[in-house]
């Protein structure tokens, strides 16, 4: 598999390099001084020069891959210009405002304590779902963490997915996770990364071509070169726009790797499979901290899986991981369903009132946004054995919410 990956990586850099070098030799070189133009276009030297320049450019692009990615993500150069970051934050704020408007409209419908119009509720819930899904795919949860480019925010959202869902620090755990990912899925990730690299190379080579043409236009004062430069600048914008869906696909593959194979890594590290999502979240946070800083922030202790009498994974999933109804009392409302109801049927102000009535400090709940607060509120009542009480209070406040 390593050989195939190497070949695809070379191709992702070589094809743009061939196009760029061909452009230099056959479009730019005719505008060079006559002596230099004769050397470049000489029938003997041209094939050798074309091959050497193409391979050299490809190797340079491959070596600077991370650097180019960081520039396009906005961590280098653009981070010196606050305007770009503020623009991205403004986009995120507008989406959140529309989202809150939909949540408030749904909350008002349920607050009337009369049977809501089913079609209207479903339409609002679908719009809210699509808006939340779009935001989760394109922006980090905390608006302050937004970076100066859309490309960077898409990848940033993918990086923080695992820590929000499972408590897994993606940067720390990923080098371990790749060793338990099956080859077929790993090939898909590598292909996605190569496609993304190809688009990034096209963006920068198009920009470099535009800069060369603008320079020639300034030196020789010819409008034709300026026109060509403008076309290549537009081409760079086209490749950047085309890179965004490619980045989303790649981010989705990274998310899927954590969803599908994190338990394989736990078994490889000799840990028991957690019995519920709360236990899993706490375990991964401890593992991530242990890998990143060791005991620098305090001693960490772990319980490892014993070799005798351990359950198989399939048995564990069937009997413990999903069948936890006894932990929730007599109610059949699962935490995921309650979380969705609290998010869609309660405004943030009403959640603060709910916490006040339950003698909980809303602001002290971990997390930054409404979704995080709701998740931690449910976990608080689970830890204190009062989950059924929370469900009952919420049911009384929103009797027409989708409880069944």
């Amino acid at each position: 598999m390593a050989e195939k990956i190497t070949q695809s990586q070379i191709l992702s850099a070589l094809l743009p390099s061939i196009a760029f070098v061909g452009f230099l030799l056959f479009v730019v070189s005719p505008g060079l001084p006559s002596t230099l133009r004769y050397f470049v276009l000489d029938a003997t030297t041209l094939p050798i020069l074309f091959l050497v320049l193409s391979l050299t450019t490809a190797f340079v692009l491959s070596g600077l891959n991370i650097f180019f990615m960081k520039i396009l993500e906005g961590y280098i150069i653009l981070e010196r210009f606050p305007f770009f970051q503020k623009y991205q934050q403004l986009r995120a704020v507008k989406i959140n405002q529309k989202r809150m408007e939909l949540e408030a409209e749904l909350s008002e419908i349920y607050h009337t304590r009369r049977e809501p119009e089913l079609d209207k509720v479903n339409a609002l819930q679908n719009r809210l779902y699509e808006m939340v899904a779009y935001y989760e795919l394109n922006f980090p949860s905390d608006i302050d963490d937004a970076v100066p480019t859309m490309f960077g925010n898409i990848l940033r959202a993918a990086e923080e997915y695992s820590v929000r869902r499972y408590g897994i620090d993606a940067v720390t755990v990923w080098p371990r996770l790749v060793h338990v990912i099956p080859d077929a899925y790993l090939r898909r990730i590598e292909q996605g990364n190569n496609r993304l690299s190809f688009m990034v190379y096209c963006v920068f080579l198009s920009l470099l071509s535009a800069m060369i043409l603008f320079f020639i236009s300034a030196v020789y004062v010819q409008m034709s070169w300026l026109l060509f430069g403008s076309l290549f600048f537009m081409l760079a914008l086209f490749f950047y726009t085309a890179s965004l869906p490619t980045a989303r696909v790649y981010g989705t593959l990274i998310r899927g790797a954590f969803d599908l194979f994190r338990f394989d890594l736990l078994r490889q590290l000799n840990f028991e499979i957690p019995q519920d999502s709360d236990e899993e979240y706490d375990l991964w946070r401890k593992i991530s901290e242990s890998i990143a800083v060791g005991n620098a922030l305090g001693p960490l202790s772990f319980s490892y899986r014993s070799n005798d009498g351990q359950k198989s994974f399939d048995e564990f999933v069937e009997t413990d991981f999903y069948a936890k109804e006894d932990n929730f009392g007599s109610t059949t409302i699962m935490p995921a369903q309650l979380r969705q109801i609290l998010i869609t049927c309660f405004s943030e102000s009403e959640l603060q009132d709910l916490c006040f009535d339950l003698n909980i400090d809303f602001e002290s709940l971990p997390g930054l946004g409404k979704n995080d607060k709701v998740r931690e509120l449910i976990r608080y009542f689970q830890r204190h054995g009062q989950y059924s009480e929370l469900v009952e209070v919420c049911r009384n406040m929103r009797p027409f919410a989708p409880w069944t």
Side-chain angles (χ1 to χ4, degrees), residues 54 78 87 99 107 122 163 186 193 202 216 273 322 355 375 384 396 401-402 404:
S54 297
L78 289 181
Y87 174 73
R99 170 181 168 177
S107 177
N122 289 338
V163 73
L186 195 57
N193 181 58
C202 289
I216 295 175
I273 301 301
Y322 291 106
C355 289
R375 183 187 65 242
H384 291 78
N396 290 335
T404 56

Side-chain angles (χ1 to χ4, degrees), residues 18-290:
I18 291 174
F20 174 69
V21 173
F23 159 75
L24 288 179
L25 294 180
F26 300 110
V27 178
V28 176
S29 59
L32 297 174
S34 57
T35 55
L36 187 57
R37 182 170 66 246
Y38 174 79
F39 172 77
V40 171
L41 297 178
D42 180 75
T44 304
T45 60
L46 183 59
I48 298 175
L49 187 62
F50 180 79
L51 178 62
V52 171
L53 287 178
S54 297
L55 290 176
T56 302
T57 304
F59 279 110
V60 170
L61 289 177
S62 299
L64 295 177
N65 175 275
I66 296 177
F67 179 73
F68 288 146
M69 292 281 285
K70 292 301 179 183
I71 291 178
L72 212 57
E73 289 179 56
Y75 293 109
I76 302 175
I77 300 177
L78 289 181
E79 56 93 20
R80 297 178 179 271
F81 303 94
F83 163 79
F84 293 101
Q85 183 180 24
K86 290 181 179 178
Y87 174 73
Q88 293 297 325
Q89 290 175 336
L90 181 61
R91 293 187 63 186
V93 167
K94 288 182 177 180
I95 295 174
N96 269 334
Q97 287 176 342
K98 293 180 180 178
R99 170 181 168 177
M100 287 188 291
E101 290 173 1
L102 287 175
E103 290 175 348
E105 191 172 352
L106 275 171
S107 177
E108 184 176 353
I109 290 175
Y110 288 117
H111 193 66
T112 57
R113 292 181 177 274
R114 56 185 175 81
E115 193 71 33
E117 300 177 13
L118 187 59
D119 291 341
K120 183 178 181 180
V121 170
N122 289 338
L124 289 174
Q125 287 179 337
N126 289 336
R127 286 173 56 194
L128 180 61
Y129 173 83
E130 292 172 358
M131 191 167 296
V132 172
Y134 177 82
Y135 186 93
E136 293 286 327
L137 197 62
N138 292 279
F139 293 98
S141 57
D142 187 356
I143 294 177
D144 292 333
D145 290 336
V147 292
T149 67
M150 191 68 189
F151 182 87
N153 283 316
I154 291 172
L155 296 181
R156 187 69 176 266
E159 289 174 2
E160 74 163 25
Y161 171 83
S162 60
V163 73
R164 293 191 63 200
R165 294 294 191 278
Y166 310 117
I168 303 174
D169 184 340
V171 176
T172 300
V173 174
W174 179 255
R176 283 88 179 166
L177 184 67
V178 292
H179 293 286
V180 300
I181 298 176
D183 286 350
Y185 196 92
L186 195 57
R187 278 194 293 270
R188 292 187 61 192
I189 294 176
E190 293 292 344
Q191 290 167 2
N193 181 58
N194 290 330
R195 293 190 189 101
L196 193 61
S197 296
F198 175 83
M199 301 304 295
V200 172
Y201 297 149
C202 289
V203 170
F204 279 96
L205 290 180
S206 297
L207 282 176
L208 182 58
S209 301
M211 293 171 62
I212 292 173
L213 290 169
F214 289 149
F215 176 77
I216 295 175
S217 174
V219 172
Y220 292 97
V221 195
Q222 294 181 1
M223 290 300 296
S224 58
W225 293 112
L226 181 62
L227 178 61
F228 270 117
S230 301
L231 290 176
F232 272 93
F233 183 77
M234 294 175 62
L235 187 62
L237 293 177
F238 167 78
F239 281 123
Y240 173 76
T241 303
S243 71
L244 299 183
T246 307
R248 293 187 184 100
V249 171
Y250 178 68
T252 301
L253 289 171
I254 297 299
R255 290 176 172 90
F258 285 102
D259 293 335
L260 297 172
F261 310 116
R262 66 188 192 279
F263 289 138
D264 295 325
L265 180 58
L266 280 180
R267 288 196 294 273
Q268 192 71 19
L269 295 172
N270 207 33
F271 287 109
E272 290 277 8
I273 301 301
Q275 298 188 28
D276 55 45
S277 58
D278 289 332
E279 185 178 330
E280 181 192 4
Y281 192 90
D282 293 337
L283 176 59
W284 278 118
R285 288 184 63 178
K286 288 175 64 179
I287 293 174
S288 299
E289 181 182 336
S290 176

